[in-house]
Amino acid sequence: MTKTSSPESRAAVLREQLHLYNHQYYVLDQPSVPDVEYDRLFRELQDIEAQHPELRTPDSPTQRVGGEPLSAFKTVRHEIPMLSLDNVFSEQELRDFDRRVRSRLADQETFHYACEPKLDGIAASLLYVDGVLVRGATRGDGQQGEDITQNVRTVASIPLKLQGDDWPDELEVRGEIYLPRAGFEKINAQARQNDSKLFVNPRNAAAGSLRQLDSRITASRPLEMCCYSVALAEDQQQLFKSHSEGLQKLAQWGFLVSPLLNVVDDIEGCLDYYQSLLAQRDGLAYDIDGIVFKVNELSVQDTLGFVSRAPRWAIAHKFPAQEEITTLKEVEFQVGRTGAITPVAKLEPVFVGGVTVSNATLHNFDEVQRLGVMIGDDIIIRRAGDVIPQIVQVVEDRRPADARAIQIPEHCPVCESPLEKAPGEAVLRCTGGLICGAQRREGIKHFASRKAMDIDGLGDKLVDQLVDSGLIETIADLYSLTAPQLAGLERMGQKSADNLIAALNKSKDTTLPRFLFALGIREVGEATARNLALHFVSLENLMAADQEALLVVDDVGPIVASHIAAFFAVEHNRDVVAALVAAGIRWPEIKTGSDAQLLSGQTWVLTGNLEAMTRAEAKEKLQALGAKVAGSVSAKTDCVAAGSAAGSKLAKAQSLGIKTLDEEGLIAVLKEGGQL
Ligand code: JCF
């Protein structure tokens, strides 16, 4: 892409590209570049047109924002145009916005800013006549949208009939229809199973779902709508005097409004809100792409008015993009603890979702095929929430002539053993078992991890060092390490060496479930390890169990049973287990008889702060007594143990008449069960 051409030819190229990308995005629901790239090209064109107004054409994408309605839906004319928001990308630009607002108001005029997250979905309008939903429409180009009444009726958070009685006879409500991240993951997981096309992000999935002519498909998608404004022909201010009061009314009438709304005094409050939401962003259940700030008082909004298609009294402060474009430089193959081979994309580093990313997972070779990605391709990377960065799409029209196919390896990149693919599985695995250095190394990391043996200070980097220096080969070797050996390692002083030896010694006092989980047997997670321990009571009994005996255990099916039996059939594994026990690893006896399962079949909830132990420790002890420990209180809860500063869970238990215990009561139960 050359930027040295004349402004005229560059503008023509940009217009062509933007028309193409706009059509792909709005009409086909199939964008081929990430939003930031679109925005960059759009801004570049805007800049050229600002400097050379004679180059501005009536059909320029800068003169029309949004897409043409699809012909299959009826067209709806918005009596009151649906506005878009101007964007800012920096604190400076936000302060400029505030200055422009204040410069248009009299000095003595006071006002506030309403702050809310900007949901990344599809803008929609709902029309209610006499309190009944009669029409739903997309924003379209702001003047005309598509009639999606049948589809919006399927969205659970949209009221079909209004609550209360103080609503106007004719009410139009606007908001954002979106798909929470969990719903997006679910739909894509189904699409993967059916080998159909994946959605690139939750917003595209929401758009695709709303644009279904068959509303049964829409109904199967867990869409939500969050409302953010009332559009009325008559005098709004009869009903409420500010944006925030309007949202309160909407909530009373039965609409979902953002629980994160806040009203602040000035621009400093806006900036604080921005930072606070940015910090919460990854943990939210849905994608947000920035913050909307609005002058809260409707009378002040009226004074300010509009410029072309956007209000002067509102602005969107955009967050760093969650999708970016970059180049796939190479693909490496990582070997996991169970031998699973994961193709890992090595990228030209790019700032996305708030961090610089240079690696992304490609999951497995089915995914590589589905994406059709080649080395050298420009790709779209997405980083949102707590998930690992993903390649979501190839920008096919930018494939270089020398792009290379990704070769599926036949041998393990670490130990050279042949790879195999179990029937019906998507993953390719190294058959080397513990011959494979990578599997051993990952097994040691797992053994040391928090939910396994919890060896404080033994992180992934240190395990790599220990293995690379030849000090350990198996998990059992950990317990023969000496402080002088450790102190010789890079970035390891005497003090940290002593600390690690102490942590290793401390880890020897464990529980049988932790130990079984730590061994890293395939498909044996924490819950299965606990069930195995409670059922077999001793390690010897478990090691002696055949398939049939294993199948009796809760949650153990034929596949898990065969992995467990196969693990203990390998002599090397039995030797390692024996060496660990010889090194002094021990656990409290699991009592049989009446007190073994003191809390068997009960569901407990822990809440508040405990003094004598952490909640995780208390949970483990309750589970050892046979209780299920749940995260929330329901009618099925048997007992809530509440430490200090317990809040809504304790209150809910009390309101449901569920038994509650304070910390002292909890300790008494644990003592009775022999856990303390
Ligand atoms: O959440 C949003 N995407 C959002 C969009 C929120 C708002 O309060 C908006 C909007 C678009 C236009 N307000 C306007 C006026």
Side-chain angles (χ1 to χ4, degrees):
M1 221 188 341
T2 158
K3 295 195 183 178
T4 48
S5 47
S6 74
E8 189 173 2
S9 62
R10 180 67 188 152
V13 167
L14 287 169
R15 254 176 233 133
E16 274 308 299
Q17 280 202 315
L18 288 165
H19 274 310
L20 175 70
Y21 294 150
N22 192 69
H23 181 254
Q24 289 172 339
Y25 186 100
Y26 283 101
V27 181
L28 307 177
D29 281 342
Q30 271 175 12
S32 66
V33 292
D35 293 356
V36 277
E37 174 79 354
Y38 185 95
D39 291 345
R40 263 194 297 262
L41 300 176
F42 192 88
R43 280 204 156 193
E44 192 188 341
L45 180 57
Q46 270 183 325
D47 286 348
I48 294 176
E49 289 177 345
Q51 278 169 30
H52 308 276
E54 74 282 3
L55 294 180
R56 188 171 289 152
T57 59
D59 70 347
S60 173
T62 59
Q63 307 301 300
R64 174 194 64 137
V65 171
E68 288 145 15
L70 277 181
S71 52
F73 287 105
K74 265 195 311 184
T75 297
V76 165
R77 168 161 290 283
H78 299 296
E79 294 304 324
I80 304 168
M82 282 185 81
L83 305 172
S84 56
L85 296 170
D86 277 337
N87 293 322
V88 295
F89 296 87
S90 67
E91 172 176 341
Q92 190 52 52
E93 288 178 315
L94 185 66
R95 289 188 187 278
D96 291 344
F97 161 77
D98 176 56
R99 211 164 293 128
R100 285 197 301 276
V101 166
R102 283 184 292 114
S103 73
R104 289 185 163 266
L105 300 174
D107 280 345
Q108 71 278 12
E109 189 137 37
T110 61
F111 66 93
H112 299 80
Y113 284 116
C115 318
E116 62 193 42
K118 182 168 183 294
L119 281 103
D120 201 6
I122 309 301
S125 143
L126 305 173
L127 186 64
Y128 291 80
V129 175
D130 295 330
V132 175
L133 175 66
V134 296
R135 194 194 72 189
T138 60
R139 174 175 178 277
D141 63 5
Q143 308 294 328
Q144 291 184 28
E146 294 160 359
D147 186 324
I148 53 163
T149 309
Q150 294 307 321
N151 291 343
V152 299
R153 284 213 171 97
T154 70
V155 177
S157 53
I158 295 178
L160 299 178
K161 202 168 176 271
L162 300 181
Q163 296 170 11
D165 55 13
D166 61 340
W167 29 260
D169 298 342
E170 197 172 298
L171 171 72
E172 187 187 345
V173 174
R174 290 164 180 182
E176 202 80 1
I177 299 183
Y178 60 96
L179 194 60
R181 287 177 189 149
F184 164 68
E185 300 294 342
K186 201 178 93 189
I187 291 175
N188 266 359
Q190 279 165 358
R192 259 197 195 95
Q193 290 228 309
N194 305 335
D195 251 332
S196 49
K197 213 168 148 42
L198 302 194
F199 288 111
V200 168
N201 56 38
R203 199 215 16 237
N204 280 127
S209 304
L210 278 180
R211 193 157 288 171
Q212 294 291 335
L213 289 167
D214 179 352
S215 60
R216 285 169 302 184
I217 299 176
T218 314
S220 74
R221 310 274 168 84
L223 295 166
E224 292 179 5
M225 178 160 176
C226 179
C227 294
Y228 54 69
S229 77
V230 175
L232 281 186
E234 322 128 49
D235 187 14
Q236 282 206 147
Q237 297 185 43
Q238 306 263 304
L239 273 165
F240 47 84
K241 301 263 181 273
S242 67
H243 176 63
S244 55
E245 279 174 32
L247 294 183
Q248 272 173 24
K249 273 268 173 274
L250 286 177
Q252 285 166 13
W253 293 335
F255 295 94
L256 174 68
V257 298
S258 177
L260 299 170
L261 176 86
N262 204 1
V263 178
V264 301
D265 291 340
D266 55 18
I267 198 69
E268 303 306 327
C270 293
L271 287 161
D272 288 347
Y273 184 90
Y274 177 89
Q275 287 304 334
S276 145
L277 260 284
L278 186 56
Q280 288 178 58
R281 183 189 197 187
D282 280 355
L284 295 177
Y286 42 80
D287 275 8
I288 63 177
D289 61 351
I291 304 295
V292 179
F293 297 115
K294 288 180 175 171
V295 168
N296 196 34
E297 287 77 6
L298 299 190
S299 58
V300 184
Q301 289 185 0
D302 279 351
T303 311
L304 290 164
F306 302 85
V307 249
S308 62
R309 54 187 179 80
R312 283 205 189 88
W313 40 264
I315 198 85
H317 189 182
K318 292 296 219 52
F319 282 154
Q322 291 184 324
E323 280 158 31
E324 252 298 359
I325 190 164
T326 189
T327 308
L328 175 62
K329 292 197 302 189
E330 199 47 75
V331 173
E332 287 179 2
F333 303 102
Q334 241 169 35
V335 188
R337 173 167 61 82
T338 61
I341 307 288
T342 306
V344 177
K346 299 283 153 178
L347 308 171
E348 193 60 54
V350 64
F351 188 73
V352 60
V355 300
T356 299
V357 168
S358 45
N359 295 314
T361 178
L362 279 161
H363 297 286
N364 54 49
F365 293 94
D366 284 0
E367 184 84 0
V368 171
Q369 272 194 339
R370 188 179 8 254
L371 288 166
V373 61
M374 294 172 76
I375 295 165
D377 270 340
D378 275 5
I379 52 92
I380 301 178
I381 178 139
R382 170 175 159 88
R383 182 195 172 273
D386 307 325
V387 292
I388 325 168
Q390 318 271 323
I391 292 182
V392 293
Q393 198 176 292
V394 175
V395 184
E396 274 172 27
D397 64 4
R398 293 199 188 174
R399 174 162 289 161
D402 61 353
R404 280 184 290 132
I406 296 168
Q407 297 295 336
I408 300 185
E410 287 173 5
H411 296 276
C412 173
V414 175
C415 75
E416 311 267 297
S417 300
L419 302 182
E420 68 174 17
K421 196 164 161 176
E425 268 199 72
V427 284
L428 204 58
R429 281 179 205 276
C430 163
T431 55
L434 289 175
I435 295 168
C436 177
Q439 292 190 47
R440 280 207 311 268
R441 184 184 298 248
E442 295 307 309
I444 296 168
K445 290 175 186 172
H446 170 75
F447 183 80
S449 65
R450 202 168 46 80
K451 290 179 170 173
M453 300 302 283
D454 194 18
I455 304 172
D456 216 15
L458 185 50
D460 290 1
K461 288 233 169 69
L462 187 50
V463 171
D464 286 337
Q465 263 189 303
L466 290 170
V467 174
D468 291 341
S469 63
L471 283 177
I472 59 171
E473 274 193 27
T474 72
I475 48 182
D477 298 339
L478 283 169
Y479 293 98
S480 12
L481 287 169
T482 63
Q485 281 178 323
L486 291 172
L489 294 173
E490 232 177 277
R491 285 188 301 269
M492 241 314 179
Q494 184 63 44
K495 184 100 182 85
S496 4
D498 288 341
N499 286 345
L500 183 58
I501 296 292
L504 280 162
N505 281 327
K506 181 162 168 252
S507 75
K508 290 179 186 171
D509 267 310
T510 186
T511 65
L512 183 54
R514 273 183 180 270
F515 180 70
L516 294 178
F517 174 62
L519 291 178
I521 304 166
R522 255 179 81 184
E523 305 283 336
V524 176
E526 281 181 283
T528 307
R530 198 161 49 241
N531 292 342
L532 289 168
L534 288 173
H535 181 86
F536 289 105
V537 180
S538 77
L539 179 62
E540 294 72 28
N541 290 348
L542 170 63
M543 288 176 73
D546 59 12
Q547 285 254 12
E548 210 181 322
L550 287 163
L551 281 171
V552 177
V553 181
D554 269 359
D555 291 338
V556 173
I559 293 176
V560 184
S562 71
H563 287 317
I564 298 168
F567 180 89
F568 289 115
V570 175
E571 189 180 348
H572 172 84
N573 290 339
R574 286 201 308 274
D575 289 347
V576 167
V577 169
L580 288 167
V581 173
I585 290 189
R586 57 192 168 248
W587 47 85
E589 195 184 330
I590 295 183
K591 295 216 187 82
T592 47
S594 59
D595 56 348
Q597 297 292 64
L598 186 67
L599 306 178
S600 169
Q602 297 191 10
T603 300
W604 282 55
V605 172
L606 288 164
T607 184
N609 306 317
L610 300 174
E611 309 245 303
M613 63 191 104
T614 65
R615 276 223 296 269
E617 286 163 345
K619 177 175 175 181
E620 202 176 339
K621 292 180 194 302
L622 289 169
Q623 286 171 334
L625 294 175
K628 275 209 179 90
V629 180
S632 60
V633 178
S634 74
K636 294 201 188 102
T637 310
D638 293 288
C639 183
V640 174
S644 59
S648 60
K649 290 181 193 176
L650 178 59
K652 185 163 180 197
Q654 286 161 344
S655 76
L656 289 173
I658 289 165
K659 181 174 144 191
T660 63
L661 289 179
D662 58 11
E663 180 163 0
E664 218 175 305
L666 172 67
I667 286 173
V669 171
L670 295 178
K671 279 194 174 143
E672 191 189 338
Q675 289 296 314
L676 284 174

